[in-house]
Amino acid sequence: MATERVQREFITVGIGILEFGNYNTAGVFQGYDDVGPIKGTFGLNITREVRDFESGRPQVILKREVIRERVEIAFRMAEMRVANLKMAAGGGIVTSSIVPANFLDGSNAAPEGGFSSSVVGVGLADTFELGGQCTLDEIALRFTHIKACNTGKRQIIEVYKAQATGVLNMPFQEDDWNAFDVTFLAIADTTRAVGKQLFRFVDER
C-alpha cells in the first residue's frame, strides 16, 4: 500500500511570539521578556559565504570552505515602549515611572496632542534616552511559532547573542498602524561548541 509523500505537520502558516533576552553587565543571562505583537514577516536569514579553491586546466573546484557565517534576524514590532526601543537601538538609558525633567522651554508641559492649543503637564512616565554610547548591547532572541492549532506543537528559534544593526526607524503613520522594522545580527557565543555558536532551531514532535 502506497504511503502519502506529504508531511502536513511541517507545512505552516502565521508568525509567532518573540522575546528579548537580557544579559547583565557581567554577561550573565537574566531572562526573557515578551516583545508584544509582531507584524508581517519574521525572518531568519542565514548566509554562509564559501571560498572555492580551483586549479588545473581547465580550472576545477578541488576544495570549498566556509569563510564567513552571517545570521540576520529581521521583524516588525508593534509595541513602541521604552524597553523595546532600547533593545532595538542596541543601547540607551531607560528610566521607569518618573516625572520627566523639564523640556528645553523650562516647563513640564507639552501639547495635549490634538488640535487644541492647550498644553498639559506630563505625569509619571517611562523614558528612553540615547546618545554618546560607543558600544552595542548584547541580547538574546527567542521566537516561538505554533506549527498547527490542532496539535500545539511548536518550532522555536533561539539566538544566543545578537546586536542591533544600529538602524531604527520609528514611523508615525497617518492612516495605518504604527510599527517599526528592526534588524539584529547574531554574535558568536564562543563558549559553545563549534557548529553550535550562533542559534538553534527546535522542532517539537
Side-chain angles (χ1 to χ4, degrees):
M1 180 177 176
T3 58
E4 190 173 32
R5 297 174 61 185
V6 177
Q7 297 184 18
R8 289 182 172 83
E9 68 270 25
F10 297 109
I11 302 173
T12 70
V13 66
I15 308 180
I17 301 300
L18 180 65
E19 300 165 286
F20 284 153
N22 300 288
Y23 288 92
N24 66 15
T25 55
V28 178
F29 183 75
Q30 300 297 293
Y32 282 109
D33 294 317
D34 193 357
V35 169
I38 54 176
K39 293 285 293 176
T41 301
F42 174 92
L44 182 79
N45 307 309
I46 304 165
T47 303
R48 303 187 81 213
E49 186 178 340
V50 176
R51 181 72 71 236
D52 297 339
F53 178 82
E54 300 174 333
S55 188
R57 182 178 177 188
Q59 289 195 4
V60 293
I61 297 174
L62 299 178
K63 186 174 182 179
R64 309 181 78 223
E65 284 197 1
V66 176
I67 63 166
R68 183 174 290 109
E69 287 183 319
R70 188 180 179 95
V71 175
E72 182 183 89
I73 308 96
F75 50 91
R76 174 171 289 180
M77 283 196 299
E79 292 190 8
M80 198 174 293
R81 45 191 164 97
V82 296
N84 283 353
L85 293 176
K86 183 180 188 300
M87 297 292 193
I93 303 297
V94 166
T95 309
S96 299
S97 300
I98 64 165
V99 176
N102 287 349
F103 297 107
L104 293 177
D105 62 4
S107 77
N108 180 251
E112 64 178 4
F115 288 109
S116 168
S117 61
S118 300
V119 293
V120 180
V122 179
L124 286 180
D126 302 326
T127 64
F128 168 67
E129 298 174 275
L130 181 68
Q133 181 180 344
C134 62
T135 57
L136 286 168
D137 294 343
E138 284 188 354
I139 70 167
L141 294 164
R142 184 169 65 182
F143 174 75
T144 303
H145 167 71
I146 297 177
K147 292 198 287 187
C149 297
N150 61 336
T151 66
K153 301 300 183 182
R154 297 159 296 174
Q155 291 174 331
I156 303 165
I157 296 170
E158 184 175 46
V159 181
Y160 307 121
K161 292 186 177 183
Q163 291 181 330
T165 58
V167 178
L168 174 60
N169 296 315
M170 298 169 55
F172 290 85
Q173 304 188 83
E174 183 178 28
D175 55 2
D176 201 356
W177 297 107
N178 296 324
F180 50 109
D181 296 317
V182 183
T183 305
F184 286 85
L185 292 175
I187 305 299
D189 183 350
T190 56
T191 65
R192 298 178 182 271
V194 172
K196 300 181 177 182
Q197 295 179 349
L198 291 175
F199 75 95
R200 63 176 171 170
F201 177 83
V202 178
D203 190 9
E204 193 172 24
R205 299 301 300 271

